[in-house]
PDB file of all heavy atoms in Angstrom:
ATOM      1  N   ILE A  14      -5.008  -1.300  -7.481  1.00 98.00           N
ATOM      2  CA  ILE A  14      -4.277  -0.741  -6.323  1.00 98.00           C
ATOM      3  C   ILE A  14      -5.275   0.095  -5.601  1.00 98.00           C
ATOM      4  O   ILE A  14      -5.745   1.125  -6.064  1.00 98.00           O
ATOM      5  CB  ILE A  14      -3.099   0.104  -6.784  1.00 98.00           C
ATOM      6  CG1 ILE A  14      -2.180  -0.677  -7.752  1.00 98.00           C
ATOM      7  CG2 ILE A  14      -2.259   0.529  -5.579  1.00 98.00           C
ATOM      8  CD1 ILE A  14      -1.035   0.133  -8.345  1.00 98.00           C
ATOM      9  N   ALA A  96      -4.815   1.025   0.428  1.00 95.00           N
ATOM     10  CA  ALA A  96      -5.573   2.040   1.196  1.00 95.00           C
ATOM     11  C   ALA A  96      -5.375   1.856   2.674  1.00 95.00           C
ATOM     12  O   ALA A  96      -5.388   0.743   3.178  1.00 95.00           O
ATOM     13  CB  ALA A  96      -7.061   1.877   0.842  1.00 95.00           C
ATOM     14  N   ALA A 129     -12.658 -11.008  -2.260  1.00 98.00           N
ATOM     15  CA  ALA A 129     -13.495 -10.795  -3.476  1.00 98.00           C
ATOM     16  C   ALA A 129     -12.772 -11.145  -4.722  1.00 98.00           C
ATOM     17  O   ALA A 129     -13.407 -11.449  -5.744  1.00 98.00           O
ATOM     18  CB  ALA A 129     -13.964  -9.284  -3.472  1.00 98.00           C
ATOM     19  N   ALA A 159      -3.327   1.477  17.321  1.00 42.00           N
ATOM     20  CA  ALA A 159      -4.357   0.755  16.500  1.00 42.00           C
ATOM     21  C   ALA A 159      -3.802   0.310  15.124  1.00 42.00           C
ATOM     22  O   ALA A 159      -4.602  -0.211  14.354  1.00 42.00           O
ATOM     23  CB  ALA A 159      -5.521   1.697  16.302  1.00 42.00           C
TER      24      ALA A 159
END
Side-chain angles (χ1 to χ4, degrees):
I14 309 173

